[in-house]
Amino acid sequence: MLLSVGFSIIFYRTSTAGLNIQLSNGPVSVHNESPTGPDPQATNGPIIVNGNSDTGMNVSNSVSGLNVQLQKRIDSLRQALVRRLVMLNVGALVLGTVLSWYIARKTLRPIENAMEAQTRFSSDASHELRTPLTALRAKNEVALRNARLTLTEAKKVIKNSVDQTLKLEKLFDGLLRLSRENGKGLAKASISLEEIANEAMNHVIAQAQARRITIDETVSHINVIGDSQSLVQIVAILLDNAIKYSDRGSTIYLEGGIEGKHGILSVRDDGPGIRASDIPHIFERFYRADSARTKHGEHGYGLGLSIAKKLIEQNDGAITVKSTLDEGSTFTLKVPLAKS
Ligand code: ADP
């Protein structure tokens, strides 16, 4: 605005200075010595009227009238110039304000979003941590107040505390992973889907055996590009869920294949399935679909799938789910194929 106003003042000064020069050449007078041909002074200096004749007086009158008109015209030109410059500056001010507001909003939006996500993350995390901590404290306090607590009862309380602590550790791990994972430090290389599947199965085999669940693995040697550690982690999350939510003694299918330029790895179960209305939300942090939770009494913290989604996106892949309530679910990973 300062620049605009400054330029306007300079422009006004230079423009009106030209007009002042013209006027400062003095009032117009008439010179009747050379009726024919151009008078050399007519352009550069005052026009002089000589003689006392009536004609001279008339000419003098009309010239001074002309002078007055000229002065009026110059004044109105000056006013018009001032008006235009003011309008121009007001326009620049309005445009500048709107533009600055728009640019500021555009620049600040990512920062605002990041702050919002951070706040949401902190409040979600503290809410999730508070519940098990309160339960843990309450149980221990009750046991402490019980003067006739037997060794067996004490052991039971301690076991419960250890279980809760393990769960909390898991939750902390998940939260840390979610807040840290930014894709930096991923070691992307060519890796076989078969290797990923086998490695992930090693992570969950004890859990599957405990529930007498069979994992039917038919993944062949297909090379994809990605970070092996995070890909194994994703498949382990999907297997862990399938085991957690499926019936005892059931079978989980781990299959592989190729689709266009992607390697495909899917985890299929005949578990409780996911309600259609829950599907759009299951990849959100801390989201747990009630159907799966209440039916089997098993539940986590709703972090597994959000971690899996984040990790697969960092590997330039994608995760999708197809599920029918009471029939089962299929989670499918898409990872870019390695160039052969
Ligand atoms: P959680 O720790 O609760 O399993 P996830 O983020 O891994 O968290 O999963 C989110 C929700 O998606 C689960 O609470 C569950 O309701 C649903 N879900 C995930 N996998 C399955 C599955 N294989 N079968 C049925 N429901 C599932």
Side-chain angles (χ1 to χ4, degrees), residues 241 244-245 269 274 282 287-289 292 300-302 304-305 329 331:
N241 276 349
K244 213 159 55 176
Y245 297 115
D269 65 58
I274 305 163
I282 56 171
Y287 189 86
R288 279 162 288 183
Y301 288 101
L305 289 180
S329 315
F331 285 85

Side-chain angles (χ1 to χ4, degrees), residues 65-277:
L66 205 68
N67 256 345
V68 172
Q69 271 185 15
L70 195 63
Q71 186 60 51
K72 273 187 187 162
R73 180 96 183 102
I74 287 169
D75 284 347
S76 78
L77 273 175
R78 258 201 200 116
Q79 279 166 10
L81 186 64
V82 169
R83 260 201 312 274
R84 277 194 192 146
L85 285 174
V86 167
M87 269 164 65
L88 200 79
N89 279 286
V90 170
L93 180 68
V94 172
L95 197 76
T97 310
V98 172
L99 224 72
S100 312
W101 176 81
Y102 175 75
I103 292 170
R105 264 190 77 90
K106 228 181 142 145
T107 321
L108 289 177
R109 181 142 316 145
I111 302 169
E112 265 174 20
N113 288 349
M115 295 263 291
E116 217 173 274
Q118 189 75 32
T119 316
R120 221 178 324 124
F121 184 79
S122 312
S123 78
D124 285 354
S126 44
H127 174 78
E128 291 297 317
L129 286 169
R130 212 181 158 76
T131 320
L133 276 176
T134 312
L136 192 64
R137 200 192 59 199
K139 277 206 170 136
N140 280 292
E141 276 175 359
V142 170
L144 263 180
R145 276 197 222 111
N146 185 354
R148 278 174 286 169
L149 189 78
T150 64
L151 187 65
T152 325
E153 283 168 338
K155 275 190 173 171
K156 209 172 151 190
V157 174
I158 294 170
K159 187 178 175 315
N160 178 273
S161 299
V162 171
D163 286 350
Q164 288 291 334
T165 321
L166 282 174
K167 272 190 155 189
L168 279 171
E169 251 178 50
K170 242 179 143 180
L171 172 61
F172 272 117
D173 279 353
L175 285 174
L176 271 179
R177 226 176 291 155
L178 262 184
S179 64
R180 266 203 220 127
E181 305 292 1
N182 54 9
K184 282 182 197 152
L186 286 190
K188 289 186 190 166
S190 173
I191 179 165
S192 151
L193 282 183
E194 192 183 13
E195 235 176 278
I196 295 169
N198 287 332
E199 185 78 22
M201 275 170 63
N202 286 339
H203 281 67
V204 296
I205 201 75
Q207 211 182 318
Q209 281 168 352
R211 303 204 65 217
R212 300 197 186 291
I213 286 178
T214 311
I215 303 177
D216 181 0
E217 191 254 72
T218 52
V219 183
S220 50
H221 189 81
I222 297 163
N223 276 343
V224 293
I225 286 280
D227 171 62
S228 60
Q229 211 186 330
S230 50
L231 290 176
V232 168
Q233 208 176 324
I234 301 165
V235 182
I237 289 172
L238 299 182
L239 286 173
D240 175 74
N241 276 349
I243 295 167
K244 213 159 55 176
Y245 297 115
S246 292
D247 288 335
R248 269 178 88 85
S250 58
T251 303
I252 291 167
Y253 302 88
L254 186 53
E255 295 154 341
I258 294 179
E259 202 182 283
K261 290 180 177 172
H262 291 91
I264 302 293
L265 212 152
S266 61
V267 177
R268 179 161 58 89
D269 65 58
D270 302 326
I274 305 163
R275 232 185 272 276
S277 56

Side-chain angles (χ1 to χ4, degrees), residues 288-299:
R288 279 162 288 183
D290 277 342
S291 53
R293 195 163 26 146
T294 50
K295 203 167 171 183
H296 298 275
E298 276 280 6
H299 66 90

